[in-house]
Amino acid sequence: MFIGIDLGGTHIAAGMADDSGKLLKKIYVDNSTKRDYREIIKDMADLCRRLSEETGIGMEKIKAVGIGSPGTPDNKRGIIIYEPKFNFRNIPMREEFQKHLNVPVFIENDANCAALAESVAGAARGAESSVTITLGTGVGGGIVIDGKIFSGFNFAGSELGHHIIVVNGEQCSCGRKGCWEAYCSAAALVKKAREAAEKEETVMLEMAGGDLSKIDGKIVFEAAEKGDQTAKHIIENYIEYLANGIANIINILMPEVIVIGGGISRQGQKLLDLLQEKVDNYVYKTTAEVPKTKLKIAEMGNDAGIIGAAMLGR
Amino acid sequence: MFIGIDLGGTHIAAGMADDSGKLLKKIYVDNSTKRDYREIIKDMADLCRRLSEETGIGMEKIKAVGIGSPGTPDNKRGIIIYEPKFNFRNIPMREEFQKHLNVPVFIENDANCAALAESVAGAARGAESSVTITLGTGVGGGIVIDGKIFSGFNFAGSELGHHIIVVNGEQCSCGRKGCWEAYCSAAALVKKAREAAEKEETVMLEMAGGDLSKIDGKIVFEAAEKGDQTAKHIIENYIEYLANGIANIINILMPEVIVIGGGISRQGQKLLDLLQEKVDNYVYKTTAEVPKTKLKIAEMGNDAGIIGAAMLGR
């Protein structure tokens, strides 16, 4: 058995999982107040004890605890190098945790944990390599090769959303111009739609009850399906940049599966249908005999972080 | 001891190397005439026997033979899936080779072999991960993680030169627009210089003896150093796109070292100096405590293919 902990800004979630990534139970504790890292870590250890009690699975049966944290962890040294929201700087997370519970502890970035969950138990299970991209407020991602997260020599990867697809292109929140995220986050899509709805006649405004700020990603996709020209144009553009970025990842890494998660992925098969032909055209051609990377929709939902963290110790 | 074979369009080269990648002897045979793959492979086996005789190292001391081939190999099945110049399609290279010599045989793409050579014995030795990019007629590359080539699930990677850095940008020879190669190959640099020299007053034309077609990469860099405004502008532009592509690879993979090879890399430290600050600025920022990817110039030269092939069996 493994325990996975997902450290979030509003709560800490912990779950007990078996070695296939099946989640047996999950519990939460509030984490919305600013406090010392030692208190946060004590709460994590308490969650582990509670999980053990409530499942009846003794702590001696827990092979490892995995912690998924925002920021840049260094699993070799067992520390979080940097996390601005919690104000973590080189905090000794493993050592502090083991003051409470004497178990092997693994630490990873939370987006990478989600990618590992998809690889072990989700859309990419069985694949020897996969890249999971998350289309949400930003564009995030994680690379899994042979069942292990690859986050680079400095554990700072993978910043897939900040690879440039248009040199000197659209302004990105990171300060640079032309990042994939500036074109393909859900936020970027919604921004384009709101800008257009201010200037053009479109059903999107009506669907949002006349309130520009209520136009969201779902409305843009639905309006495009209804034949609204403004929405169709925005979606076409969005898919064009998304397909270019996905093809870039394929041309660089040739993963067996690319998993698409985040809010935009709720479009499901419709999204894949829009993407597939473009991506096929954009991947560097050798011959039909070379197998193609598969595009899939993420399956793990909100539990991805916990399950991926649990699977770190596998 | 290991033998590495570099299959080229004009000759086949083979070398004997120790397990640190030190080349003890290399020999060649002509390969400029079109012929059946069986004859090519027989020549490879003959080269191995000759190496054994001429070095006095018996074939029983050879742990493995590695073959670096153009095209898309599948080392699992021991075949070359596709190579257009030699007209290879699913040829059973390992099986055919082992009819002549009963040794373990490994097969890899030649650009990936060069990347492995840099990782084992060249500019990236000691690094846990590295990406070698080659700035020549095209832009090629290879990824090495934990001493092993990562070429994806289909062995078709890494097409680094065909990742898009400007959606709908410059025409690339692959048929798409905006590939890194269309901006950063030596050929792209020279094309820009020749176009400019047709229209503008520049010392480059004089340096090329008045012959536009003699302007090469070296002349552009030298003219820029002399203060020629046209050349300076072209080099600045070239470095801008090169730094963007390198930062993309870092943001996606966070390798410990990026090795730059190919004709352009003859600029050595000058090239690194031009690149370093830009790349530093373009890499996604977390904190100064996260170590940075190092940029280095390739060290293995023409022997990279042979040595990398030899190291496949390590």
Side-chain angles (χ1 to χ4, degrees):
Chain A
M1 289 294 159
F2 299 92
I3 290 178
I5 297 172
D6 187 10
L7 173 60
T10 57
H11 58 258
I12 307 169
M16 178 84 74
D18 66 16
D19 61 3
S20 71
K22 197 183 154 206
L23 194 60
L24 306 180
K25 186 178 182 71
K26 60 178 171 176
I27 55 178
Y28 303 87
V29 68
D30 182 80
N31 192 36
S32 55
T33 51
K34 280 235 176 220
R35 52 199 178 135
D36 187 83
Y37 74 87
R38 292 174 196 87
E39 293 177 51
I40 293 174
I41 292 170
K42 184 178 179 300
D43 273 359
M44 291 180 183
D46 288 343
L47 281 172
C48 293
R49 283 201 201 89
R50 260 182 64 198
L51 269 175
S52 170
E53 282 165 25
E54 294 180 19
T55 57
I57 297 167
M59 279 308 297
E60 75 285 355
K61 293 215 174 99
I62 307 302
K63 284 190 210 147
V65 172
I67 302 170
S69 169
T72 308
D74 176 345
N75 182 54
K76 274 189 195 154
R77 293 186 285 158
I79 67 172
I80 305 287
I81 301 177
Y82 177 67
E83 204 295 314
K85 211 168 45 187
F86 294 120
N87 199 23
F88 289 165
R89 269 181 184 268
N90 295 312
I91 66 149
M93 187 170 270
R94 181 185 292 141
E95 193 189 325
E96 186 64 28
F97 187 94
Q98 288 176 334
K99 287 182 188 168
H100 302 285
L101 280 176
N102 185 27
V103 286
V105 172
F106 297 86
I107 303 172
E108 205 20 283
N109 171 273
D110 49 5
N112 287 337
C113 286
L116 183 60
E118 294 294 342
S119 163
V120 173
R125 65 187 170 277
E128 68 176 45
S129 54
S130 61
V131 176
T132 296
I133 60 171
T134 311
L135 307 171
T137 316
V139 175
I143 299 168
V144 179
I145 301 173
D146 290 335
K148 285 193 305 190
I149 293 165
F150 180 71
S151 58
F153 85 112
N154 57 5
F155 312 101
S158 307
E159 293 295 350
L160 303 181
H162 297 286
H163 95 268
I164 295 285
I165 59 169
V166 183
V167 171
N168 288 321
E170 296 260 346
Q171 184 64 50
C172 181
S173 61
C174 77
R176 291 184 70 199
K177 286 181 174 176
C179 292
W180 194 24
E181 174 166 310
Y183 294 87
C184 291
S185 65
L189 175 69
V190 166
K191 182 169 169 258
K192 286 274 177 218
R194 289 178 188 170
E195 282 169 8
E198 267 192 307
K199 286 178 281 183
E200 297 167 28
E201 200 58 54
T202 162
V203 73
M204 291 189 287
L205 192 57
E206 193 184 311
M207 289 168 76
D211 182 350
L212 265 183
S213 74
K214 294 234 164 76
I215 294 178
D216 60 13
K218 189 161 169 269
I219 286 178
V220 194
F221 275 97
E222 282 179 4
E225 261 189 286
K226 285 182 184 169
D228 181 79
Q229 287 305 311
T230 303
K232 272 176 82 167
H233 180 71
I234 290 167
I235 293 294
E236 270 166 29
N237 236 318
Y238 179 81
I239 294 293
E240 175 69 18
Y241 288 106
L242 188 55
N244 267 284
I246 289 172
N248 279 353
I249 292 168
I250 296 176
N251 285 333
I252 292 172
L253 285 167
M254 308 280 173
E256 187 168 348
V257 177
I258 287 191
V259 179
I260 304 173
I264 298 292
S265 72
R266 289 192 205 112
Q267 298 303 316
Q269 190 59 43
K270 272 184 293 179
L271 179 68
L272 297 185
D273 290 344
L274 289 167
L275 280 168
Q276 191 70 61
E277 193 187 333
K278 276 186 191 283
V279 171
D280 287 348
N281 282 335
Y282 294 172
V283 170
Y284 187 73
K285 301 278 181 310
T286 50
T287 165
E289 281 132 23
V290 175
K292 278 191 243 170
T293 298
K294 288 174 206 74
L295 299 185
K296 297 197 172 176
I297 295 292
E299 295 176 2
M300 303 304 287
N302 290 332
D303 295 335
I306 303 174
I307 293 172
M311 294 298 97
L312 291 172
R314 224 170 56 133
Chain B
M1 290 294 161
F2 298 92
I3 290 178
I5 297 172
D6 187 11
L7 174 60
T10 57
H11 57 258
I12 307 169
M16 178 85 73
D18 66 16
D19 60 3
S20 71
K22 196 183 153 208
L23 194 59
L24 307 180
K25 185 178 183 70
K26 61 176 171 175
I27 55 176
Y28 303 87
V29 69
D30 183 80
N31 192 35
S32 56
T33 52
K34 280 235 174 218
R35 51 199 178 136
D36 187 84
Y37 74 86
R38 293 174 195 86
E39 292 177 52
I40 293 175
I41 292 170
K42 185 178 178 301
D43 272 359
M44 291 181 182
D46 288 344
L47 281 172
C48 294
R49 283 201 201 89
R50 262 182 63 199
L51 270 174
S52 170
E53 283 165 25
E54 294 180 19
T55 57
I57 297 166
M59 279 306 298
E60 75 286 354
K61 293 214 174 102
I62 307 303
K63 284 190 211 147
V65 171
I67 302 171
S69 168
T72 307
D74 176 345
N75 182 53
K76 274 190 195 154
R77 292 186 286 158
I79 66 172
I80 305 287
I81 301 176
Y82 177 67
E83 204 295 314
K85 211 169 46 187
F86 293 121
N87 199 24
F88 290 166
R89 270 182 183 265
N90 296 311
I91 66 149
M93 187 171 270
R94 180 185 293 140
E95 192 187 327
E96 186 65 27
F97 187 93
Q98 288 176 332
K99 286 181 188 170
H100 302 285
L101 280 176
N102 185 27
V103 287
V105 172
F106 297 87
I107 303 171
E108 208 14 287
N109 171 272
D110 48 6
N112 287 336
C113 286
L116 183 60
E118 294 296 341
S119 163
V120 173
R125 65 188 170 278
E128 68 176 44
S129 55
S130 61
V131 176
T132 296
I133 60 171
T134 311
L135 307 171
T137 315
V139 175
I143 300 167
V144 179
I145 301 173
D146 291 334
K148 285 193 304 188
I149 293 165
F150 180 71
S151 58
F153 85 112
N154 56 5
F155 311 100
S158 309
E159 292 295 349
L160 304 180
H162 297 287
H163 94 267
I164 294 285
I165 60 169
V166 183
V167 171
N168 288 321
E170 296 260 345
Q171 184 65 49
C172 182
S173 61
C174 77
R176 291 184 68 198
K177 286 180 174 178
C179 291
W180 194 25
E181 174 166 310
Y183 294 86
C184 291
S185 64
L189 175 69
V190 166
K191 182 168 168 258
K192 287 273 178 219
R194 289 179 188 169
E195 281 170 6
E198 267 193 307
K199 286 179 281 182
E200 297 168 27
E201 199 60 51
T202 162
V203 74
M204 290 189 287
L205 191 57
E206 194 183 309
M207 290 169 76
D211 182 350
L212 265 184
S213 73
K214 294 235 164 76
I215 295 179
D216 59 14
K218 190 162 169 266
I219 287 178
V220 194
F221 274 96
E222 282 179 6
E225 261 188 287
K226 285 182 184 168
D228 180 80
Q229 287 305 313
T230 304
K232 273 176 81 169
H233 179 70
I234 290 167
I235 294 293
E236 271 167 28
N237 236 318
Y238 179 81
I239 294 293
E240 175 68 20
Y241 288 106
L242 188 55
N244 267 285
I246 288 172
N248 278 353
I249 292 168
I250 295 176
N251 285 334
I252 293 173
L253 285 167
M254 308 281 173
E256 187 168 348
V257 177
I258 287 191
V259 179
I260 304 174
I264 298 291
S265 73
R266 290 192 204 109
Q267 299 302 316
Q269 190 59 44
K270 272 184 293 180
L271 179 67
L272 297 185
D273 291 344
L274 289 168
L275 280 170
Q276 191 70 59
E277 194 188 331
K278 277 188 191 281
V279 171
D280 287 348
N281 282 334
Y282 294 172
V283 169
Y284 187 74
K285 301 277 179 309
T286 49
T287 164
E289 282 131 24
V290 175
K292 277 192 244 168
T293 298
K294 289 174 206 75
L295 300 185
K296 298 198 171 175
I297 296 292
E299 295 177 2
M300 302 304 287
N302 291 332
D303 295 335
I306 303 173
I307 293 173
M311 294 298 96
L312 291 173
R314 221 168 60 132

